Structures are given as C-alpha cells and as structure tokens.
Amino acid sequence: MDGTERSRKSCAETDQARQPMMELNGKDKSDSPSDRVTLKKEIGLLSACAIIIGNIIGSGIFISPKGVLEHAGSVGLSLIVWVCGGGICALGSMCYAELGVTIPKSGGDYSYVTEIFGGLVGFLLLWSAVLIMYPTTLAVIALTFSNYVLQPAFQNCVPPYLATRLLSTICILFLTWVNCSSVRWATRIQDVFTVAKLLALGLIIAVGLVQICRGHYDALRPSQAFEFTRDPSVGQIALAFLQASFAFSGWNFLNYVTEEVVEPRKNLPRAIYISIPLVTLVYTLTNIAYFSSMTPEELLASNAVAVTFGEKLLGVFSWVMPISVALSTFGGINGYLFTSSRLCFSGAREGHLPYLLAMIHLKNCTPIPALLVCVSYCTPIPTLLVCVSYYTPIPTLLVCVSYCAPIPTLLVCVNYYTPIPTLLVSVLVPISYLVFWAVLLGFSLYSEPVVCGMGIVIMLTGVPVYFVGVHWKNKPRCVYRVVECVTYVGQKLCFVVFPQEDLSEITPLTASDKHID
C-alpha cells in the first residue's frame, strides 16, 4: 500500500514489454473495443437481477428468523420487522440506483464515499469490509453450506467439525478458480443458483400455504401472534432489525460491478427495482410458511430452521431441504467472491491497496490478483471466525457484522446528490433512510455495547494503517524496491496488466443530462 506512482510506472513498463503479445498480423487488438484488455460488459439485466437476488438470498433467510423472533418477542412483531426491513432496503436501493447512474464506477459504497469524503474515510470503509463484513459473512455462508450438505449423511448427529471446515474451504477455492477463469462462467453460476434458491424458497412457501389452507395457522392468529414472551424494548427491536438486515445484506452489490453491466444507466436501476420487492415478498411469505408448521418455541429451539421445517412436513423427502439450502448458499459464496474482488480492484485503482490488485488477466480479463488476495484472507479469517462461533453463537457474529454494514450507506446518504432534482428522490428518501438507521444503530449500541463496539474499534484500527501505508509518501527506498519486485513477479505469475479504460464510460453524469434512458 504505497499509494505512489512508482509502482504504476514499473507496471506500465512491464505493460509495454507485453505489447507485442497484443498484436496480431501487425494490428493492435486494443484498437477494437471488443478486444480491449479491460473488464468486459457481460452482465445483462437477467444476470444483474441474479447478482442482487443471489447475494441477498444466501444463508440469512435460513439463519436470521431465529434471531429476529428471539429479539422481537412475538410472531406478529417479527413479521412486521421482516416487511419493514424490506421497505428500508427499498429506500436505500432508490438512492443507490440514482448513484449508480450518476457515478457509473465499480466499487459501490467505497467509490462513492471516497469521492465524497476523501481517502481516509474511503480507506476505513475498505478496511472494515476486508476485516469484518466480507470475511464474517462468508464464514457464516460457507459454514451453513457445509452443514447443510453434510446433514443428510449425519441425520442423527452433528456433522464432524473438521469435515465442515474442509468442505467450506474446498467450496471457496473452487469458486475462486471459476471467477479467475471467466466472468461469464461466474455470472452463469450466479444465474443458475439464483433460480435454484428461489425454487427452494418457493417449495417452502407452497408447502406453508397448503398448511394454512388446512387450518394450521394458530401461531399466525392475531390473538396469539402478538403474545410477547417478554416486554418489548426499543433496544431489542433494534437488534431484531439488525438480524433481519443481515438477511437483506447484498442489495447494493450490483453497484460494485457497475462497469461490467451492459447499459448500466438502464439496467442497474431496473435490476434494483425488480429484485428488492421480489426478495421482500419471498422473505415475508417464507417466514409465514415457517410459522404455519412450527410453534415459536420449536423455531427458537432449531439450529436449522429449513431442515426442521422439512422434517415436519416433507417426510421421506425431507432431504430436499438441506440440499436446496446448500444450493442457495453455494450461489451466495460465488456472489460474495465476485463482488469482493471488485472492491479490492477499485481500492487498488485509488492507491489504497497495492497496484497489482488493479490489474486483470491479459486474455480472460478477470481481476486474478484481487481474487487471490480475497481468497487469501477469506479462507483463514472465516476459519478463525468459525472457530470463534464454536464457542460464540452465530447470532452474535451477525450482530457485529450487521452493525458495521449500514455505516457506508449512511455516509453516502449524508452527502447524497442526484441529477434528478425531485423532492422525493433527493430529500425525503435519503433522509428517511438516514434517520431510521441512525436511530437503530444508536439503540443497538446501547443494547449490545460490547459486540457493536467491537466492530467500530476494528474499523478505527485502519487509521494508523492508512497514514503509514497510504498517506506517508516518502518511504525508504527499500520499501519501494520490495513493492516493485512483488508487483513485477505478480504480473509474471498471474499474466496480468493494467486494464485499458474507456474514460467515456465512467464519466460522471452531470446535472445538464436531463434525460436518463
């Protein structure tokens, strides 16, 4: 993280040395836009929706219902939390749809915060994402995947500890190889497994509706739905919203790959407006289905809500549920690797990470160094967090990551702007979103000061790292030599170069652009 032009100069010289590789029959292939060495636009509207839906629907809907019900204290209030959680995501997605059009750069929150607040705040966001958000979320999803895959083979006992960790690592490494090989392969996997997870949740919803038609909806009757196990408090309700927000996390991930979306000014807003209402509807109906066959006590006692649901209602076909959940989480891991690598790519392009991470493969046009760095921290850190979760409940980890996750979007909304000067979009929506999360995070910190405060402390540890690694320009020459050597060796090993950017595609939209197609 030298943040200087020295590494870029060295890499540029290497690029020039590779220039003959890009020539065919005396013609430079980069003259053609389709042959330019850059991140390819291969994400259409369907794949864009799959990225949003696939990243949102991971393991959250199979884990969070227990935490939401526990903190809400009643079935009725927990369902209200799920509906309102989707509504809050819709408010945030409206802001991000406009931001993606206004600032069509990959990197999402990081790019917007860096442009608005400067390098330090942007680096802290990047630091917290690398150390908390992505590893913790990936740890939970990978652990859920391995547990559900092994569940049919260990029906009467818990799957072996070592087997679950080994399977999680193999899954992450395999999907990293896929993402390194081809963007198209990665998006196709996302498309297929998004359909699979929607079918899995559709099965739960269909079975639940059949139960309701048969009269099995005692827990959903208003007289019983609002029977509180304890007196509700604002702090506990705030924690219930944090648990639900984990299940909805990922709604803004399409903004991380804006530069790879086909016609982003059309498809990015469309994908967001299609995906968020669909996921909110599916989540609400899924929770209603859970309560049609399980009492609140059974749900709270279950460590695998979907498996318990299947065992009660599907009989000999109960094995379908763990396999369906495994498919869902597999797609979620793929989505997180795809987007997290683009975050590292954007950070390196701004000088907040080594410039090697801003390079892409000469033929595959995939950010291989960024992916390898992601898997290098996404394997040991999730393993460490999974080991911690052996002694610490998963909901506690979810509270920590869910507390940090909304902070970047709040920073964006503080200085939100849009070329469409309407009162609803430019004032009411961001202010509503900002006020809600500010109040929610405040009460959450009051209720769980240690867990929530731990996330803030980890984020602030990035301050000295920023001043030493990025802000300090006049480092000893030996540091620059080491960075240049690592960059050069990395280029040779990964066969990567700096992408040839088309600046016309990332020029911010100005207020004079009165019409957006």
Side-chain angles (χ1 to χ4, degrees):
M1 288 179 291
D2 61 313
T4 68
E5 294 298 324
R6 193 177 181 90
S7 294
R8 181 177 288 273
K9 180 180 178 182
S10 174
C11 297
E13 293 172 353
T14 306
D15 292 348
Q16 293 175 1
R18 295 186 185 277
Q19 195 68 21
M21 304 179 190
M22 302 171 61
E23 297 180 0
L24 184 62
N25 296 328
K27 181 180 180 180
D28 189 349
K29 294 175 69 176
S30 64
D31 291 342
S32 171
S34 61
D35 294 328
R36 186 184 299 120
V37 182
T38 186
L39 295 175
K40 304 297 184 182
K41 290 184 175 293
E42 296 184 348
I43 303 176
L45 179 59
L46 178 61
S47 295
C49 292
I51 288 175
I52 298 176
I53 297 173
N55 276 289
I56 295 178
I57 304 177
S59 62
I61 188 58
F62 308 108
I63 296 176
S64 295
K66 178 178 178 179
V68 172
L69 178 62
E70 182 180 2
H71 290 294
S74 72
V75 173
L77 184 56
S78 68
L79 292 177
I80 292 175
V81 168
W82 282 105
V83 175
C84 292
I88 295 303
C89 283
L91 292 178
S93 66
M94 291 176 67
C95 296
Y96 271 64
E98 298 298 337
L99 280 168
V101 171
T102 308
I103 310 174
K105 294 173 60 178
S106 294
D109 303 328
Y110 167 76
S111 295
Y112 308 148
V113 169
T114 301
E115 183 161 329
I116 295 171
F117 292 98
L120 175 59
V121 180
F123 180 82
L124 292 180
L125 188 157
L126 185 67
W127 179 259
S128 61
V130 168
L131 290 186
I132 305 176
M133 295 181 219
Y134 280 119
T136 306
T137 304
L138 195 60
V140 174
I141 298 177
L143 179 61
T144 304
F145 166 78
S146 56
N147 279 331
Y148 275 94
V149 167
L150 297 174
Q151 189 66 42
F154 299 91
Q155 296 183 359
N156 299 321
C157 62
V158 178
Y161 180 88
L162 182 60
T164 56
R165 275 63 186 174
L166 181 61
L167 183 58
S168 300
T169 303
I170 292 174
C171 175
I172 292 174
L173 292 177
F174 170 74
L175 288 175
T176 301
W177 173 78
V178 170
N179 279 269
C180 288
S181 300
S182 172
V183 172
R184 183 163 307 207
W185 290 3
T187 55
R188 292 300 176 267
I189 286 179
Q190 196 70 11
D191 295 345
V192 171
F193 282 90
T194 296
V195 173
K197 64 183 66 180
L198 287 175
L199 291 176
L201 293 176
L203 175 62
I204 294 176
I205 293 171
V207 174
L209 292 178
V210 171
Q211 286 292 101
I212 292 175
C213 292
R214 291 178 177 177
H216 300 286
Y217 52 86
D218 292 340
L220 297 172
R221 297 179 185 274
S223 58
Q224 297 185 25
F226 289 94
E227 287 185 358
F228 290 90
T229 56
R230 62 173 181 273
D231 293 334
S233 65
V234 177
Q236 290 299 317
I237 294 175
L239 292 175
F241 270 103
L242 282 185
Q243 292 283 340
S245 72
F246 174 79
F248 280 103
S249 63
W251 56 266
N252 58 336
F253 277 12
L254 184 61
N255 293 66
Y256 283 74
V257 294
T258 304
E259 294 173 33
E260 297 173 70
V261 176
V262 178
E263 297 186 69
R265 290 176 178 171
K266 287 183 179 179
N267 289 330
L268 192 145
R270 289 176 182 174
I272 290 176
Y273 295 147
I274 291 172
S275 302
I276 303 301
L278 177 61
V279 172
T280 303
L281 177 64
V282 169
Y283 274 10
T284 304
L285 293 178
T286 300
N287 278 275
I288 291 175
Y290 285 152
F291 291 118
S292 69
S293 59
M294 302 169 64
T295 64
E297 292 74 20
E298 288 176 327
L299 193 147
L300 290 174
S302 174
N303 290 322
V305 179
V307 170
T308 304
F309 179 88
E311 291 174 348
K312 293 194 65 174
L313 297 182
L314 299 181
V316 295
F317 295 102
S318 60
W319 57 269
V320 172
M321 289 315 305
I323 297 301
S324 299
V325 176
L327 295 176
S328 174
T329 51
F330 186 84
I333 295 171
N334 179 71
Y336 265 84
L337 286 174
F338 187 84
T339 53
S340 64
S341 63
R342 272 56 179 183
L343 178 62
C344 291
F345 174 86
S346 299
R349 191 165 57 180
E350 295 291 337
H352 290 166
L353 290 174
Y355 280 123
L356 176 63
L357 305 187
M359 299 183 188
I360 62 176
H361 193 269
L362 189 62
K363 294 181 179 179
N364 298 337
C365 295
T366 54
I368 291 180
L371 280 162
L372 294 180
V373 167
C374 286
V375 77
S376 68
Y377 74 74
C378 284
T379 300
I381 294 183
T383 301
L384 175 63
L385 293 172
V386 165
C387 294
V388 172
S389 69
Y390 187 78
Y391 304 99
T392 305
I394 286 291
T396 302
L397 291 177
L398 301 191
V399 170
C400 180
V401 68
S402 299
Y403 188 82
C404 295
I407 293 177
T409 58
L410 291 183
L411 292 175
V412 172
C413 288
V414 165
N415 202 351
Y416 173 74
Y417 65 92
T418 172
I420 304 178
T422 62
L423 180 64
L424 176 64
V425 175
S426 62
V427 179
L428 297 182
V429 170
I431 288 180
S432 301
Y433 185 83
L434 180 64
V435 170
F436 174 84
W437 274 110
V439 173
L440 187 65
L441 294 180
F443 279 108
S444 299
L445 182 61
Y446 175 78
S447 300
E448 291 284 352
V450 176
V451 177
C452 297
M454 184 170 57
I456 297 177
V457 170
I458 295 176
M459 180 183 295
L460 294 179
T461 58
V463 174
V465 177
Y466 171 81
F467 282 104
V468 172
V470 180
H471 186 72
W472 182 22
K473 303 297 184 183
N474 298 320
K475 300 183 184 69
R477 292 179 60 86
C478 60
V479 175
Y480 294 132
R481 291 196 185 100
V482 171
V483 172
E484 291 175 3
C485 180
V486 171
T487 302
Y488 181 75
V489 172
Q491 280 191 274
K492 279 184 166 289
L493 291 176
C494 298
F495 203 60
V496 293
V497 295
F498 278 115
Q500 297 168 297
E501 296 179 350
D502 184 355
L503 298 179
S504 64
E505 295 180 354
I506 60 174
T507 301
L509 196 66
T510 62
S512 61
D513 297 312
K514 298 181 179 179
H515 178 70
I516 300 175
D517 292 332

